[in-house]
Amino acid sequence: MNSRKVVYLFFTTLIIGSVSGAIVGFAFDYEMYLSGGAANLIVGVIWLLGMSAAFSLISQMGFFAYLTVHRFGLGLFKSHKLWNYVQIVLIAFVLFDLFYFRYIAFAEPGETMFGYMIIPVLLLVYGLVIAYLKARGTNQSAFIPALFFIVVVTTIEWVPALTVNDTKWLWLYFTPLIVGNTWQLLILHRLSGQPAS
């Protein structure tokens, strides 16, 4: 992949992540942004775009880190099959931790685990859909790595927001991450010219 395509990937991910995060952030607090006049709205939107751009950059760092880890894993385990099993175990571990540790940290007396299982289940379903699209666009061996990236890497990138039980911050942080990660994953093979099989 040449430098022009790398620059394209960087800026498109930055723009898509920034805009998506700004839209979600605006939706959560639209009354606040609309109540103070045009200047308040402009400054608020700029702030949302800036925050979302920062989260989008985290998404890009996570993506390139995963590409390195994936190559390392393939070299270490000497087999796609074994590396895929390791990734499946890590996916299960992260999904369990995603609901269990949040339940332990934030559950009110009498609150059940069910509410804390919604996010991991939705993330898994979304990851399965994106992994299917990636595998269909490239080859079947891309399914588990794509699922791992969407579930595990996105969760790791999301950890700072997960430590605060604030719905607005959870989604303001998550949206640029998941949108950026999805875009990078689904566009990479087109940019690199990897054929489907």
Side-chain angles (χ1 to χ4, degrees):
M1 193 161 69
N2 61 35
S3 59
R4 183 177 60 83
K5 290 179 179 178
V6 172
V7 170
Y8 172 82
L9 181 62
F10 173 80
F11 281 108
T12 54
T13 305
L14 186 66
I15 291 166
I16 291 168
S18 300
V19 171
S20 64
I23 290 169
V24 168
F26 185 83
F28 270 102
D29 279 333
Y30 68 93
E31 290 180 354
M32 180 182 75
Y33 294 116
L34 295 175
S35 64
N40 182 62
L41 176 62
I42 292 168
V43 170
V45 169
I46 290 171
W47 181 83
L48 286 170
L49 287 169
M51 289 292 294
S52 300
F55 303 146
S56 176
L57 291 174
I58 293 169
S59 158
Q60 295 188 53
M61 288 188 290
F63 183 64
F64 286 104
Y66 175 68
L67 292 177
T68 304
V69 168
H70 183 62
R71 284 290 148 211
F72 178 76
L74 288 172
L76 180 66
F77 294 102
K78 307 292 186 193
S79 140
H80 276 281
K81 199 171 195 181
L82 184 55
W83 175 227
N84 281 347
Y85 287 141
V86 170
Q87 290 181 98
I88 290 168
V89 169
L90 291 172
I91 289 166
F93 182 74
V94 166
L95 287 170
F96 175 78
D97 287 351
L98 184 56
F99 89 84
Y100 184 71
F101 286 123
R102 290 193 71 243
Y103 171 75
I104 294 230
F106 302 119
E108 300 291 333
E111 195 173 7
T112 66
M113 284 188 179
F114 179 75
Y116 292 89
M117 293 175 69
I118 294 171
I119 288 176
V121 168
L122 291 177
L123 182 59
L124 176 61
V125 170
Y126 181 81
L128 290 168
V129 171
I130 298 304
Y132 168 77
L133 294 174
K134 179 67 174 181
R136 195 177 70 175
T138 55
N139 56 65
Q140 288 304 311
S141 66
F143 184 86
I144 296 299
L147 180 61
F148 180 90
F149 176 69
I150 290 294
V151 173
V152 176
V153 177
T154 301
T155 301
I156 291 169
E157 294 167 344
W158 199 20
V159 163
L162 291 171
T163 59
V164 179
N165 200 28
D166 183 322
T167 304
K168 181 180 83 170
W169 276 105
L170 281 174
W171 293 110
L172 179 59
Y173 203 123
F174 179 73
T175 304
L177 292 178
I178 197 69
V179 170
N181 286 345
T182 301
W183 169 252
Q184 292 172 103
L185 188 66
L186 295 181
I187 198 70
L188 181 66
H189 62 275
R190 294 188 178 100
L191 293 177
S192 62
Q194 181 182 345
S197 61

